[in-house]
Every structure is written in C-alpha cells, then in structure tokens.
Amino acid sequence: MNAISRPVTGPFEKTKGWLDWYADPSKPHFRVPAGAVDAHCHVFGPGAEFPYAPERKYTPCDASKAQLFALRDHLGFARNVVVQATCHGADNRAMVDACMSSGGKARGVATVRRDVSDDDLKRLNEAGVRGVRFNFVKRLVDFTPKDELMDIAGRIARLGWHVVIYFEAVDLPELWDFFTAIPTTIIVDHMGRPDVTKPADGPEFAAFLRFMRENGNVWAKVSGAERLSVSGPAALNGERNPYRDFVPFARRVIEEFPDRVLWGTDWPHPNLKDHMPDDGLLVDILPHIAPTAELQRTLLVDNPMRLYWPEEKGV
Ligand code: 0GY
C-alpha cells in the first residue's frame, strides 16, 4: 500500500454515509508544468485530532495532510492551496497545521467570523493563509449576514488577502451587488457552478462571463468537473477524455481570462454522493481546457504563484 492508499474494499464504498476518496489514483497521462500548484484542495481532520464542526452539514472522510502531500507528489504538482471547507466551520486548525507542516509548499484560505481578533489574523497570515472563503451554497452553510462578511473583507484587505466565494449559478444575480462591493481580489470556486447541460455560450453562463468581464478583480477556479459534469468520467473511443461536458465551460473562461484563472483537484472531494473521481483522470482534463503550453503554465504556475507566493521572484 502506498502513502495515498486507504485500506478499503473499493473506491465507491458508501457504508459510512459518505464516500471515501479514490484509493489508488492513476498516474495522469498529462504532465503538469514544473512548479504547478493544486490551488483548490482540502484536509479533513483526522477527526480524532481536529474534530469536525458541530454545525457541519456533512461529515467527510478523514483526509490527512500526509495523504494530501503524497497525492501532490503522485500527480506531479509542487504546491497546494488548502481551502477551509464547511465541515470544519471556522476552526482552521487542520488547514493551518497542513500549511505549517508543508515546508512552504502550501498556503491556505481560512473561514473566519466577525469576532476574529487582529492577533488571530496575524497568526493565520504567518501560517500561510492568504484569503478567506465566503460560502453561499445553502445546502452547505447557514446564512451569514452580509454586513458581517463585508466587515471581514475590509479587515483582510489590509493584509493583502483575497476573498474566495462559493455560490450556485442561480444565485449570482441576487449576490452580484454584494460581490462587486468587495474591495479585494475575488476568486469564484468552480466557475460559480454552471449547469453544464446548458450551452457554454447560452444566457446563464453569459451572466457569469459578464461578471468577470465587468469586474477585473474577479478570478475563477476552473475546477469542479467531477461535481458539475453529467457525462461523467467515461472514456470516449478509448481516449482518456473525461468529463467532456465540463470542458467547453472551463475552456471558455481560460481563453477569455487567462490571467485570472486557477485550477485544483478539490481532493478529497467533499460531499460527493455518487461518484468519487480518480484524481489522475481529473488532471487529464487539463490539456482539454488549456490547450497550449502557455495557457497551461499561466493556469497552473504563474497565476497561483502571483496570488499565493508573490514574494517569490520571477513570477
Ligand atoms: C468544494 C465543494 C463543496 C463543499 C465545500 O466547504 C465545503 O464544504 O466547498 C460542495 O459540496 O460542493 O469545492 O469543496
């Protein structure tokens, strides 16, 4: 058993009420560029060490920092951005522990409440946190008042951090004015969750593209294929070309906004109910959504380095 394996009977084990992450991810056929960053992933627990939040809406499988770092190496990535997930609430200890144990190879995105002290923010900054996440997905979180979020955004702006937002496509019109008032760089998780059964050049996705076009501080994570896809991971004509209904959406965003896109595995894929992706296969989406070496380098190296490791020269 290698470092990223789990002792389970199969990849789709569902006996505990949640799906475990894929035990033995394949080696991607696509080689990511040197220095590539997995800019959206999580650590969960282990629950015995870092308990899950009492207010959580789902309980994930444990997924440790050691397993995350082993996956990073297996897939050919150099660094991680560890994003706080709702199952840990505003208790950032597991994420912070992963960042601090990474030898500088992981940065973090935290969840904080209004009562966070300046000293807490300073400590998070020293641990490698560079952003906060505001989650508007109703099945995941209870409502947080917008004035509380704006208060937090104003405070973290002074640290040079950004705001990561997660919402469903249908909620963008109602949230638009709030988002455009945020004073920092904004990163949208999973392109605002488009319905990929609709056309990528249709009116719903046009609203998201307009959101990016009219707001130069808005970036998108072109991730979440395994969440959004209906066609799924099946190979076509024997080719490793998974999640192909997702591809035109991500490609459209990358080609129009090459300097404002990030990509991540989303390992260990919290809260998926039916299918758990092979992370090696997920990486093989990359040449389809970013078809040139230049786009691949911008997406996987230059953009995340500029945002999360700006102090490193030459990026
Ligand atoms: C993701 C997606 C999900 C979960 C969370 O914080 C979370 O719990 O983001 C989801 O269920 O769509 O990217 O982690």
Side-chain angles (χ1 to χ4, degrees):
M1 191 174 81
N2 68 34
I4 38 178
S5 293
R6 291 173 293 101
V8 297
T9 51
F12 302 125
E13 186 188 41
K14 218 173 174 177
T15 53
K16 298 181 293 292
W18 64 84
L19 287 178
D20 276 317
W21 40 276
Y22 201 90
D24 287 300
S26 61
K27 208 66 175 160
H29 292 192
F30 173 67
R31 279 182 62 138
V32 298
V37 181
D38 176 352
H40 186 89
C41 51
H42 311 281
V43 286
F44 291 147
E49 197 181 350
F50 301 110
Y52 299 111
E55 74 273 20
R56 68 189 180 279
K57 306 284 187 200
Y58 65 89
T59 300
C61 54
D62 281 344
S64 71
K65 62 188 176 190
Q67 290 164 325
L68 175 65
F69 299 155
L71 180 77
R72 173 198 67 201
D73 296 344
H74 174 77
L75 298 177
F77 284 82
R79 303 176 196 231
N80 296 111
V81 179
V82 185
V83 177
Q84 180 77 356
T86 55
C87 55
H88 272 302
D91 177 351
N92 294 289
R93 282 177 297 167
M95 178 274 291
V96 161
D97 177 62
C99 290
M100 293 186 71
S101 313
S102 70
K105 292 182 180 175
R107 290 265 147 101
V109 173
T111 295
V112 300
R113 309 275 183 241
R114 176 179 256 154
D115 61 4
V116 68
S117 70
D118 287 340
D119 278 350
D120 290 338
L121 290 176
K122 191 166 166 245
R123 272 192 292 277
L124 288 170
N125 193 62
E126 281 164 5
V129 171
R130 294 295 178 267
V132 290
R133 190 178 194 209
F134 295 166
N135 199 319
F136 300 90
V137 178
K138 296 177 185 94
R139 66 187 158 77
L140 290 173
V141 281
D142 296 327
F143 176 76
T144 305
K146 292 202 180 97
D147 66 317
E148 172 168 353
L149 296 176
M150 200 54 85
D151 190 42
I152 292 166
R155 288 178 64 199
I156 62 97
R158 287 179 231 135
L159 294 165
W161 292 9
H162 58 264
V163 174
V164 173
I165 53 178
Y166 191 31
F167 59 90
E168 306 270 2
V170 68
D171 295 323
L172 178 58
E174 189 255 317
L175 291 164
W176 187 293
D177 290 344
F178 172 71
F179 290 158
T180 55
I182 292 175
T184 65
T185 294
I186 297 172
I187 320 283
V188 181
D189 280 343
H190 311 329
M191 301 181 289
R193 296 188 60 99
D195 177 348
V196 301
T197 64
K198 295 182 176 159
D201 56 2
E204 188 181 275
F205 202 53
F208 180 71
L209 295 170
R210 186 164 69 81
F211 181 54
M212 289 197 72
R213 210 173 286 135
E214 291 180 5
N215 298 285
N217 62 328
V218 175
W219 296 38
K221 284 183 203 157
V222 290
S223 51
E226 75 288 7
R227 286 180 195 287
L228 303 173
S229 175
V230 177
S231 64
L236 183 65
N237 301 327
E239 281 192 32
R240 220 170 139 91
N241 182 10
Y243 307 104
R244 55 192 173 278
D245 51 355
F246 167 88
V247 167
F249 290 81
R251 187 164 168 164
R252 179 85 180 71
V253 175
I254 291 170
E255 289 184 338
E256 183 166 348
F257 310 102
D259 298 326
R260 291 193 266 142
V261 284
L262 300 171
W263 185 86
T265 55
D266 200 8
W267 186 90
H269 311 286
N271 208 22
L272 285 181
K273 306 285 188 223
D274 300 311
H275 126 265
M276 188 50 67
D278 166 359
D279 295 277
L281 205 55
L282 274 182
V283 171
D284 282 342
I285 297 174
L286 285 163
H288 299 283
I289 64 174
T292 68
E294 191 185 345
L295 286 174
Q296 290 158 11
R297 198 187 147 75
T298 309
L299 172 67
L300 297 168
V301 184
D302 299 346
N303 293 346
M305 289 303 288
R306 191 151 46 90
L307 204 58
Y308 289 99
W309 285 268
E311 68 282 6
E312 295 208 10
K313 298 270 177 266
V315 300

